[in-house]
Amino acid sequence: MSTSQLSFKTKLGFISVIENEGYITDIAFKRITIQKSSPQLLRVKNQIKKFLDKKIKKFNFKTKTFGSKIQIKVWNEIKKIHYGKTVSYNFISKRTKIHPRYVGKICGQNRLLLFIPCHRVIRSNGLLGGFSANHGIKLKSKILKIEELNNRLSETETKTYKTLEYSYKMELEKLKHFMVI
């Protein structure tokens, strides 16, 4: 089994990347002291630096994700969130039929930070929620700022919430008719 790992300094602090058998398996905001680089890791480093400098919006390298079927389901949904957009834990919850708090827990178990953009998942009220990397929501805020947004819901989610809000208002109106004293 061939494993290589590389740490490098960025404007957000150290980022470490681990490659196993040609696949990137980990991207974390931390420093690894024992390093063994590879051409693949140098390409990933270059892409991450370009991403943080706003020169690219998507990554193009092979990854291998380890997790349960539920984790993979949530992470695949999160990978659909476009650069510069955010969605809520609740939105991911509705798309995957998994409780929003469990969605948050699964975000915290993400081993491919930035590639699986859990930083784009926020609370329904527009607050950032959590972030499992070192420096937590402060780092999450900085990443979102790089993507030039902060607490902005995606167009799809905005439409979904407007529809839900309208449905809720209609249900309230129906209930008022039944509650006449």
mmCIF file of all heavy atoms in Angstrom, residues 91-126:
data_model
loop_
_atom_site.group_PDB
_atom_site.id
_atom_site.type_symbol
_atom_site.label_atom_id
_atom_site.label_comp_id
_atom_site.label_asym_id
_atom_site.label_seq_id
_atom_site.Cartn_x
_atom_site.Cartn_y
_atom_site.Cartn_z
ATOM 1 N N PHE A 91 -32.057 21.866 4.310
ATOM 2 C CA PHE A 91 -32.211 21.611 2.879
ATOM 3 C C PHE A 91 -31.605 20.253 2.508
ATOM 4 O O PHE A 91 -32.232 19.453 1.818
ATOM 5 C CB PHE A 91 -31.554 22.737 2.076
ATOM 6 C CG PHE A 91 -31.730 22.621 0.594
ATOM 7 C CD1 PHE A 91 -32.927 22.979 -0.008
ATOM 8 C CD2 PHE A 91 -30.695 22.159 -0.205
ATOM 9 C CE1 PHE A 91 -33.090 22.870 -1.384
ATOM 10 C CE2 PHE A 91 -30.853 22.047 -1.582
ATOM 11 C CZ PHE A 91 -32.053 22.403 -2.170
ATOM 12 N N ILE A 92 -30.384 20.012 2.984
ATOM 13 C CA ILE A 92 -29.737 18.713 2.735
ATOM 14 C C ILE A 92 -30.568 17.605 3.376
ATOM 15 O O ILE A 92 -30.749 16.530 2.803
ATOM 16 C CB ILE A 92 -28.280 18.703 3.278
ATOM 17 C CG1 ILE A 92 -27.424 19.763 2.581
ATOM 18 C CG2 ILE A 92 -27.655 17.310 3.157
ATOM 19 C CD1 ILE A 92 -27.178 19.533 1.106
ATOM 20 N N SER A 93 -31.115 17.868 4.548
ATOM 21 C CA SER A 93 -31.953 16.914 5.258
ATOM 22 C C SER A 93 -33.164 16.499 4.418
ATOM 23 O O SER A 93 -33.481 15.314 4.303
ATOM 24 C CB SER A 93 -32.423 17.526 6.581
ATOM 25 O OG SER A 93 -33.425 16.758 7.168
ATOM 26 N N LYS A 94 -33.819 17.467 3.837
ATOM 27 C CA LYS A 94 -34.993 17.180 3.016
ATOM 28 C C LYS A 94 -34.624 16.390 1.760
ATOM 29 O O LYS A 94 -35.370 15.518 1.327
ATOM 30 C CB LYS A 94 -35.696 18.481 2.636
ATOM 31 C CG LYS A 94 -36.498 19.090 3.768
ATOM 32 C CD LYS A 94 -37.170 20.369 3.312
ATOM 33 C CE LYS A 94 -38.158 20.906 4.299
ATOM 34 N NZ LYS A 94 -37.715 21.295 5.571
ATOM 35 N N ARG A 95 -33.480 16.679 1.177
ATOM 36 C CA ARG A 95 -33.056 15.996 -0.049
ATOM 37 C C ARG A 95 -32.601 14.555 0.225
ATOM 38 O O ARG A 95 -32.683 13.714 -0.655
ATOM 39 C CB ARG A 95 -31.919 16.766 -0.722
ATOM 40 C CG ARG A 95 -32.205 18.234 -0.926
ATOM 41 C CD ARG A 95 -32.579 18.701 -2.212
ATOM 42 N NE ARG A 95 -31.869 18.137 -3.326
ATOM 43 C CZ ARG A 95 -32.155 18.465 -4.556
ATOM 44 N NH1 ARG A 95 -33.094 19.327 -4.789
ATOM 45 N NH2 ARG A 95 -31.509 17.935 -5.553
ATOM 46 N N THR A 96 -32.104 14.308 1.436
ATOM 47 C CA THR A 96 -31.563 12.981 1.756
ATOM 48 C C THR A 96 -32.448 12.186 2.709
ATOM 49 O O THR A 96 -32.164 11.023 2.979
ATOM 50 C CB THR A 96 -30.161 13.112 2.391
ATOM 51 O OG1 THR A 96 -30.259 13.914 3.576
ATOM 52 C CG2 THR A 96 -29.169 13.716 1.408
ATOM 53 N N LYS A 97 -33.492 12.837 3.247
ATOM 54 C CA LYS A 97 -34.400 12.200 4.229
ATOM 55 C C LYS A 97 -33.653 11.794 5.500
ATOM 56 O O LYS A 97 -33.887 10.745 6.081
ATOM 57 C CB LYS A 97 -35.103 10.972 3.623
ATOM 58 C CG LYS A 97 -35.782 11.220 2.298
ATOM 59 C CD LYS A 97 -37.077 11.949 2.460
ATOM 60 C CE LYS A 97 -37.880 11.965 1.188
ATOM 61 N NZ LYS A 97 -37.841 13.187 0.441
ATOM 62 N N ILE A 98 -32.710 12.661 5.908
ATOM 63 C CA ILE A 98 -31.915 12.431 7.113
ATOM 64 C C ILE A 98 -32.074 13.653 8.004
ATOM 65 O O ILE A 98 -32.069 14.785 7.518
ATOM 66 C CB ILE A 98 -30.428 12.206 6.737
ATOM 67 C CG1 ILE A 98 -30.308 10.930 5.899
ATOM 68 C CG2 ILE A 98 -29.541 12.135 7.967
ATOM 69 C CD1 ILE A 98 -28.986 10.751 5.196
ATOM 70 N N HIS A 99 -32.206 13.463 9.297
ATOM 71 C CA HIS A 99 -32.423 14.569 10.241
ATOM 72 C C HIS A 99 -31.320 15.626 10.103
ATOM 73 O O HIS A 99 -30.145 15.279 9.954
ATOM 74 C CB HIS A 99 -32.452 14.019 11.671
ATOM 75 C CG HIS A 99 -32.976 14.995 12.661
ATOM 76 N ND1 HIS A 99 -32.191 15.991 13.201
ATOM 77 C CD2 HIS A 99 -34.212 15.144 13.187
ATOM 78 C CE1 HIS A 99 -32.918 16.705 14.033
ATOM 79 N NE2 HIS A 99 -34.142 16.211 14.039
ATOM 80 N N PRO A 100 -31.685 16.931 10.170
ATOM 81 C CA PRO A 100 -30.695 18.004 9.995
ATOM 82 C C PRO A 100 -29.508 17.928 10.963
ATOM 83 O O PRO A 100 -28.377 18.232 10.574
ATOM 84 C CB PRO A 100 -31.481 19.291 10.234
ATOM 85 C CG PRO A 100 -32.907 18.926 10.114
ATOM 86 C CD PRO A 100 -33.026 17.458 10.364
ATOM 87 N N ARG A 101 -29.749 17.521 12.193
ATOM 88 C CA ARG A 101 -28.631 17.418 13.141
ATOM 89 C C ARG A 101 -27.666 16.302 12.752
ATOM 90 O O ARG A 101 -26.465 16.421 12.945
ATOM 91 C CB ARG A 101 -29.149 17.221 14.563
ATOM 92 C CG ARG A 101 -29.777 18.480 15.091
ATOM 93 C CD ARG A 101 -30.081 18.388 16.542
ATOM 94 N NE ARG A 101 -30.707 19.632 16.967
ATOM 95 C CZ ARG A 101 -31.216 19.828 18.147
ATOM 96 N NH1 ARG A 101 -31.170 18.869 19.038
ATOM 97 N NH2 ARG A 101 -31.767 20.972 18.453
ATOM 98 N N TYR A 102 -28.228 15.232 12.200
ATOM 99 C CA TYR A 102 -27.365 14.144 11.743
ATOM 100 C C TYR A 102 -26.584 14.585 10.506
ATOM 101 O O TYR A 102 -25.432 14.202 10.332
ATOM 102 C CB TYR A 102 -28.193 12.878 11.493
ATOM 103 C CG TYR A 102 -27.342 11.637 11.369
ATOM 104 C CD1 TYR A 102 -26.419 11.298 12.365
ATOM 105 C CD2 TYR A 102 -27.441 10.810 10.274
ATOM 106 C CE1 TYR A 102 -25.621 10.173 12.248
ATOM 107 C CE2 TYR A 102 -26.656 9.673 10.155
ATOM 108 C CZ TYR A 102 -25.750 9.362 11.141
ATOM 109 O OH TYR A 102 -24.961 8.246 11.024
ATOM 110 N N VAL A 103 -27.216 15.407 9.649
ATOM 111 C CA VAL A 103 -26.503 15.982 8.504
ATOM 112 C C VAL A 103 -25.297 16.770 9.013
ATOM 113 O O VAL A 103 -24.192 16.650 8.493
ATOM 114 C CB VAL A 103 -27.430 16.878 7.648
ATOM 115 C CG1 VAL A 103 -26.626 17.696 6.632
ATOM 116 C CG2 VAL A 103 -28.485 16.032 6.939
ATOM 117 N N GLY A 104 -25.514 17.574 10.064
ATOM 118 C CA GLY A 104 -24.415 18.338 10.657
ATOM 119 C C GLY A 104 -23.314 17.446 11.191
ATOM 120 O O GLY A 104 -22.128 17.726 11.001
ATOM 121 N N LYS A 105 -23.710 16.362 11.836
ATOM 122 C CA LYS A 105 -22.720 15.417 12.368
ATOM 123 C C LYS A 105 -21.902 14.803 11.229
ATOM 124 O O LYS A 105 -20.679 14.674 11.318
ATOM 125 C CB LYS A 105 -23.411 14.319 13.175
ATOM 126 C CG LYS A 105 -22.460 13.318 13.773
ATOM 127 C CD LYS A 105 -23.166 12.262 14.588
ATOM 128 C CE LYS A 105 -22.135 11.293 15.140
ATOM 129 N NZ LYS A 105 -22.717 10.264 15.974
ATOM 130 N N ILE A 106 -22.582 14.450 10.143
ATOM 131 C CA ILE A 106 -21.900 13.857 8.986
ATOM 132 C C ILE A 106 -20.958 14.882 8.354
ATOM 133 O O ILE A 106 -19.850 14.535 7.938
ATOM 134 C CB ILE A 106 -22.926 13.305 7.977
ATOM 135 C CG1 ILE A 106 -23.617 12.072 8.585
ATOM 136 C CG2 ILE A 106 -22.271 12.960 6.645
ATOM 137 C CD1 ILE A 106 -24.818 11.563 7.811
ATOM 138 N N CYS A 107 -21.373 16.147 8.310
ATOM 139 C CA CYS A 107 -20.470 17.198 7.809
ATOM 140 C C CYS A 107 -19.183 17.206 8.634
ATOM 141 O O CYS A 107 -18.095 17.350 8.084
ATOM 142 C CB CYS A 107 -21.136 18.574 7.897
ATOM 143 S SG CYS A 107 -22.309 18.908 6.581
ATOM 144 N N GLY A 108 -19.325 17.059 9.931
ATOM 145 C CA GLY A 108 -18.172 17.056 10.820
ATOM 146 C C GLY A 108 -17.253 15.864 10.630
ATOM 147 O O GLY A 108 -16.111 15.877 11.086
ATOM 148 N N GLN A 109 -17.725 14.820 9.958
ATOM 149 C CA GLN A 109 -16.921 13.623 9.720
ATOM 150 C C GLN A 109 -16.279 13.620 8.337
ATOM 151 O O GLN A 109 -15.606 12.664 7.959
ATOM 152 C CB GLN A 109 -17.808 12.383 9.896
ATOM 153 C CG GLN A 109 -18.327 12.250 11.316
ATOM 154 C CD GLN A 109 -19.500 11.270 11.436
ATOM 155 O OE1 GLN A 109 -20.163 10.938 10.465
ATOM 156 N NE2 GLN A 109 -19.756 10.833 12.658
ATOM 157 N N ASN A 110 -16.463 14.688 7.595
ATOM 158 C CA ASN A 110 -15.913 14.831 6.248
ATOM 159 C C ASN A 110 -14.386 14.858 6.305
ATOM 160 O O ASN A 110 -13.801 15.706 6.954
ATOM 161 C CB ASN A 110 -16.458 16.130 5.635
ATOM 162 C CG ASN A 110 -15.887 16.444 4.279
ATOM 163 O OD1 ASN A 110 -15.231 15.620 3.650
ATOM 164 N ND2 ASN A 110 -16.138 17.656 3.833
ATOM 165 N N ARG A 111 -13.750 13.949 5.586
ATOM 166 C CA ARG A 111 -12.281 13.884 5.550
ATOM 167 C C ARG A 111 -11.702 14.558 4.311
ATOM 168 O O ARG A 111 -10.487 14.585 4.139
ATOM 169 C CB ARG A 111 -11.828 12.425 5.609
ATOM 170 C CG ARG A 111 -12.090 11.804 6.978
ATOM 171 C CD ARG A 111 -11.800 10.332 7.047
ATOM 172 N NE ARG A 111 -10.535 9.955 6.442
ATOM 173 C CZ ARG A 111 -10.111 8.703 6.351
ATOM 174 N NH1 ARG A 111 -10.841 7.711 6.812
ATOM 175 N NH2 ARG A 111 -8.950 8.426 5.790
ATOM 176 N N LEU A 112 -12.572 15.086 3.437
ATOM 177 C CA LEU A 112 -12.108 15.739 2.216
ATOM 178 C C LEU A 112 -12.587 17.194 2.194
ATOM 179 O O LEU A 112 -13.359 17.599 1.312
ATOM 180 C CB LEU A 112 -12.610 14.977 0.980
ATOM 181 C CG LEU A 112 -11.939 13.631 0.723
ATOM 182 C CD1 LEU A 112 -12.720 12.802 -0.290
ATOM 183 C CD2 LEU A 112 -10.504 13.827 0.258
ATOM 184 N N LEU A 113 -12.124 17.952 3.196
ATOM 185 C CA LEU A 113 -12.539 19.355 3.294
ATOM 186 C C LEU A 113 -12.200 20.093 2.004
ATOM 187 O O LEU A 113 -11.218 19.772 1.335
ATOM 188 C CB LEU A 113 -11.875 20.015 4.501
ATOM 189 C CG LEU A 113 -12.257 19.412 5.862
ATOM 190 C CD1 LEU A 113 -11.485 20.100 6.973
ATOM 191 C CD2 LEU A 113 -13.748 19.508 6.106
ATOM 192 N N LEU A 114 -12.989 21.054 1.665
ATOM 193 C CA LEU A 114 -12.937 21.835 0.427
ATOM 194 C C LEU A 114 -13.467 21.035 -0.760
ATOM 195 O O LEU A 114 -14.317 21.517 -1.495
ATOM 196 C CB LEU A 114 -11.544 22.393 0.110
ATOM 197 C CG LEU A 114 -10.934 23.349 1.134
ATOM 198 C CD1 LEU A 114 -9.523 23.758 0.699
ATOM 199 C CD2 LEU A 114 -11.801 24.579 1.318
ATOM 200 N N PHE A 115 -12.990 19.803 -0.971
ATOM 201 C CA PHE A 115 -13.477 18.985 -2.083
ATOM 202 C C PHE A 115 -14.950 18.633 -1.878
ATOM 203 O O PHE A 115 -15.757 18.748 -2.793
ATOM 204 C CB PHE A 115 -12.642 17.710 -2.240
ATOM 205 C CG PHE A 115 -13.050 16.882 -3.427
ATOM 206 C CD1 PHE A 115 -12.588 17.203 -4.693
ATOM 207 C CD2 PHE A 115 -13.902 15.798 -3.277
ATOM 208 C CE1 PHE A 115 -12.978 16.450 -5.806
ATOM 209 C CE2 PHE A 115 -14.293 15.046 -4.370
ATOM 210 C CZ PHE A 115 -13.835 15.374 -5.639
ATOM 211 N N ILE A 116 -15.298 18.160 -0.688
ATOM 212 C CA ILE A 116 -16.702 18.020 -0.290
ATOM 213 C C ILE A 116 -16.977 19.288 0.519
ATOM 214 O O ILE A 116 -16.549 19.401 1.668
ATOM 215 C CB ILE A 116 -16.944 16.748 0.554
ATOM 216 C CG1 ILE A 116 -16.584 15.496 -0.238
ATOM 217 C CG2 ILE A 116 -18.409 16.701 1.007
ATOM 218 C CD1 ILE A 116 -16.641 14.206 0.550
ATOM 219 N N PRO A 117 -17.659 20.258 -0.078
ATOM 220 C CA PRO A 117 -17.718 21.607 0.493
ATOM 221 C C PRO A 117 -18.716 21.781 1.643
ATOM 222 O O PRO A 117 -19.690 22.536 1.549
ATOM 223 C CB PRO A 117 -18.102 22.469 -0.712
ATOM 224 C CG PRO A 117 -18.936 21.560 -1.551
ATOM 225 C CD PRO A 117 -18.326 20.185 -1.380
ATOM 226 N N CYS A 118 -18.445 21.098 2.754
ATOM 227 C CA CYS A 118 -19.313 21.237 3.924
ATOM 228 C C CYS A 118 -19.343 22.678 4.437
ATOM 229 O O CYS A 118 -20.276 23.059 5.136
ATOM 230 C CB CYS A 118 -18.856 20.286 5.032
ATOM 231 S SG CYS A 118 -19.254 18.573 4.668
ATOM 232 N N HIS A 119 -18.339 23.465 4.071
ATOM 233 C CA HIS A 119 -18.330 24.871 4.488
ATOM 234 C C HIS A 119 -19.492 25.639 3.856
ATOM 235 O O HIS A 119 -19.852 26.707 4.335
ATOM 236 C CB HIS A 119 -16.993 25.539 4.131
ATOM 237 C CG HIS A 119 -16.685 25.559 2.672
ATOM 238 N ND1 HIS A 119 -16.102 24.481 2.020
ATOM 239 C CD2 HIS A 119 -16.883 26.503 1.727
ATOM 240 C CE1 HIS A 119 -15.952 24.775 0.739
ATOM 241 N NE2 HIS A 119 -16.423 26.006 0.531
ATOM 242 N N ARG A 120 -20.115 25.089 2.823
ATOM 243 C CA ARG A 120 -21.249 25.741 2.158
ATOM 244 C C ARG A 120 -22.588 25.372 2.776
ATOM 245 O O ARG A 120 -23.636 25.794 2.291
ATOM 246 C CB ARG A 120 -21.256 25.385 0.671
ATOM 247 C CG ARG A 120 -20.035 25.896 -0.067
ATOM 248 C CD ARG A 120 -20.052 25.512 -1.530
ATOM 249 N NE ARG A 120 -18.770 25.847 -2.130
ATOM 250 C CZ ARG A 120 -18.247 25.214 -3.172
ATOM 251 N NH1 ARG A 120 -18.912 24.225 -3.746
ATOM 252 N NH2 ARG A 120 -17.076 25.572 -3.648
ATOM 253 N N VAL A 121 -22.566 24.572 3.838
ATOM 254 C CA VAL A 121 -23.794 24.184 4.526
ATOM 255 C C VAL A 121 -23.903 25.023 5.798
ATOM 256 O O VAL A 121 -22.994 25.022 6.629
ATOM 257 C CB VAL A 121 -23.806 22.675 4.858
ATOM 258 C CG1 VAL A 121 -25.139 22.281 5.492
ATOM 259 C CG2 VAL A 121 -23.541 21.835 3.609
ATOM 260 N N ILE A 122 -25.016 25.754 5.900
ATOM 261 C CA ILE A 122 -25.221 26.668 7.026
ATOM 262 C C ILE A 122 -26.568 26.381 7.680
ATOM 263 O O ILE A 122 -27.346 25.560 7.187
ATOM 264 C CB ILE A 122 -25.135 28.144 6.567
ATOM 265 C CG1 ILE A 122 -26.237 28.473 5.559
ATOM 266 C CG2 ILE A 122 -23.755 28.447 5.984
ATOM 267 C CD1 ILE A 122 -26.341 29.940 5.173
ATOM 268 N N ARG A 123 -26.856 27.093 8.750
ATOM 269 C CA ARG A 123 -28.131 26.932 9.441
ATOM 270 C C ARG A 123 -29.256 27.624 8.660
ATOM 271 O O ARG A 123 -29.010 28.550 7.890
ATOM 272 C CB ARG A 123 -28.039 27.491 10.851
ATOM 273 C CG ARG A 123 -27.089 26.660 11.718
ATOM 274 C CD ARG A 123 -26.854 27.232 13.077
ATOM 275 N NE ARG A 123 -28.109 27.440 13.786
ATOM 276 C CZ ARG A 123 -28.199 27.976 14.989
ATOM 277 N NH1 ARG A 123 -27.117 28.367 15.610
ATOM 278 N NH2 ARG A 123 -29.356 28.134 15.559
ATOM 279 N N SER A 124 -30.475 27.188 8.875
ATOM 280 C CA SER A 124 -31.632 27.752 8.173
ATOM 281 C C SER A 124 -31.821 29.235 8.452
ATOM 282 O O SER A 124 -32.347 29.967 7.620
ATOM 283 C CB SER A 124 -32.914 27.016 8.575
ATOM 284 O OG SER A 124 -32.840 25.673 8.188
ATOM 285 N N ASN A 125 -31.375 29.691 9.615
ATOM 286 C CA ASN A 125 -31.531 31.104 9.966
ATOM 287 C C ASN A 125 -30.417 31.985 9.410
ATOM 288 O O ASN A 125 -30.342 33.169 9.705
ATOM 289 C CB ASN A 125 -31.633 31.267 11.482
ATOM 290 C CG ASN A 125 -30.384 30.817 12.222
ATOM 291 O OD1 ASN A 125 -29.371 30.454 11.613
ATOM 292 N ND2 ASN A 125 -30.456 30.827 13.539
ATOM 293 N N GLY A 126 -29.524 31.388 8.608
ATOM 294 C CA GLY A 126 -28.449 32.157 7.982
ATOM 295 C C GLY A 126 -27.156 32.161 8.776
ATOM 296 O O GLY A 126 -26.134 32.612 8.270
#
